Amino acid sequence: MSAPVNENTVNSTAIISIENIYLLIGFVVMFLVVKTLQDKQHPQKYTTALFWFLFGNVFLFGDLSIQLIGESLTYQWVGFSVIAIALLAGFGKVSMGSYHQPSEEQLESDAKRIGNKLFVPAVLIPVVTVVCTLLLSNLNIAEVYLFDQKHVTLASLTLACGVALIVAWRFTSGSPFQALSESRRLVDSIGWAAILPQMLAMLGGVFIVANTGTAIQDLVKLFISPDNRFMLVVLYCVGMALFTMIMGNAFAAFPVMTAGVALPFLIEGHSAAAAPLVAIGMYSGYCGTLMTPMAANFNIVPAALLDLKDKYQVIKVQIPTAIALLIINIFLMYGVIFND
């Protein structure tokens, strides 16, 4: 019961739609808000709950707000929420609370009982996502699709997380409520950094609209000769890494640095091969990802999950590798992108 995607399917009904995914995120975040307010031993429960409420309300009430008060007021409210979130995090008003945790003996007993099966749910997430994206993306009954046709990968990832959660319940003999409660401890241990990817993605969009790439192009002309190929390559690679460190996301840095350096100077100015140029450029951005706490999902989240005492330990270990790869990328790019 699958059909090829055409221009009409992108507007079709889907069970796992982006709107339903947003609602699910909103409900989970609001659960965290309620549990935080119920925590009598939480040192900053009201400001922490407000932080997560401001974040979750956009997912839960965004569409309803547009219908009731219009887009303009909704966008203003979202902007206010972002500013308030930044202020709460900046003034240290988001903190951990108290949590029910098993004893060391219970943890050791569970570890022996579950063993390496603990990794099965984690492996299932990418496997199920890929399978659904490649093989089941067009699955539908009477034009009601399983996955949102505009966001197939994200919808597949949502289903994969659900499947992994069910398998984890089977292995651990836990419960859905226990999983949600544990998610609060993990999210609180990560703190405000958990929402950095969403905030930085919005910031990247702002930079693009503001024509930041054009501004970078004008700055390059002031300090580097357009005829100096090697320095242009160095600037593009190092700039991708540095801008990624600031943005926390190579995908946000890519359009800015490519529009400002790669496209006008290397591709148009020196007839560089576009495909290897942008591929190595993105790889250089990933070098920056390894060296910044702004890439919270890569560097801060693992430290929290592993209960490391130094939350920057992951970054410190990765820095030598990142610098070495960045240097290799510079010489690799210079050696393969030019056609003459």
Side-chain angles (χ1 to χ4, degrees), residues 14-285:
I15 298 174
I16 307 178
S17 64
I18 190 66
E19 292 81 9
N20 292 336
I21 294 172
Y22 286 160
L23 288 175
L24 177 61
I25 295 173
F27 280 120
V28 172
V29 174
M30 291 306 170
F31 174 84
L32 303 181
V33 172
V34 172
K35 294 297 293 183
T36 299
L37 291 174
Q38 292 176 342
D39 187 351
K40 297 181 179 180
Q41 299 179 358
H42 199 300
Q44 296 178 316
K45 67 177 181 180
Y46 294 112
T47 52
T48 300
L50 177 60
F51 176 91
W52 291 113
F53 174 81
L54 291 172
F55 176 68
N57 87 93
V58 178
F59 292 97
L60 197 57
F61 306 118
D63 289 341
L64 179 62
S65 177
I66 290 176
Q67 295 175 9
L68 293 178
I69 64 176
E71 289 187 355
S72 179
L73 289 177
T74 299
Y75 295 161
Q76 292 179 27
W77 166 250
V78 172
F80 167 80
S81 298
V82 171
I83 294 173
I85 284 172
L87 291 175
L88 288 170
F91 284 102
K93 297 301 181 180
V94 182
S95 64
M96 295 187 66
S98 61
Y99 315 92
H100 173 71
Q101 293 181 269
S103 63
E104 291 293 334
E105 293 78 10
Q106 182 64 44
L107 289 174
E108 185 175 349
S109 174
D110 289 342
K112 292 180 179 179
R113 176 174 59 86
I114 300 173
N116 290 331
K117 290 189 294 184
L118 184 65
F119 294 100
V120 173
V123 174
L124 276 176
I125 294 176
V127 171
V128 174
T129 300
V130 171
V131 170
C132 291
T133 301
L134 297 180
L135 302 180
L136 304 177
S137 61
N138 301 331
L139 184 66
N140 71 91
I141 300 177
E143 296 302 315
V144 176
Y145 287 81
L146 176 61
F147 301 113
D148 191 321
Q149 295 300 288
K150 291 183 179 180
H151 308 277
V152 173
T153 302
L154 182 58
S156 299
L157 175 61
T158 303
L159 179 62
C161 291
V163 171
L165 190 58
I166 293 173
V167 173
W169 292 340
R170 177 68 179 83
F171 286 163
T172 62
S173 301
S175 68
F177 182 80
Q178 182 181 357
L180 287 173
S181 299
E182 182 64 13
S183 70
R184 174 180 167 245
R185 183 186 69 82
L186 291 176
V187 169
D188 282 352
S189 65
I190 300 168
W192 56 265
I195 69 172
L196 267 180
Q198 291 86 350
M199 296 298 179
L200 293 172
M202 290 191 294
L203 182 60
V206 171
F207 280 154
I208 294 173
V209 173
N211 294 321
T212 308
T214 303
I216 292 176
Q217 181 179 340
D218 294 336
L219 286 174
V220 172
K221 294 177 181 178
L222 293 176
F223 299 101
I224 297 178
S225 170
D227 296 326
N228 193 331
R229 288 181 173 181
F230 182 73
M231 287 307 301
L232 289 172
V233 168
V234 172
L235 178 63
Y236 182 47
C237 291
V238 175
M240 275 294 300
L242 291 177
F243 210 76
T244 299
M245 292 176 68
I246 296 171
M247 300 291 293
N249 192 323
F251 290 98
F254 178 77
V256 176
M257 291 303 301
T258 301
V261 180
L263 183 60
F265 296 107
L266 293 171
I267 296 177
E268 295 180 354
H270 291 279
S271 301
L277 172 69
V278 297
I280 300 173
M282 182 63 80
Y283 193 24
S284 299

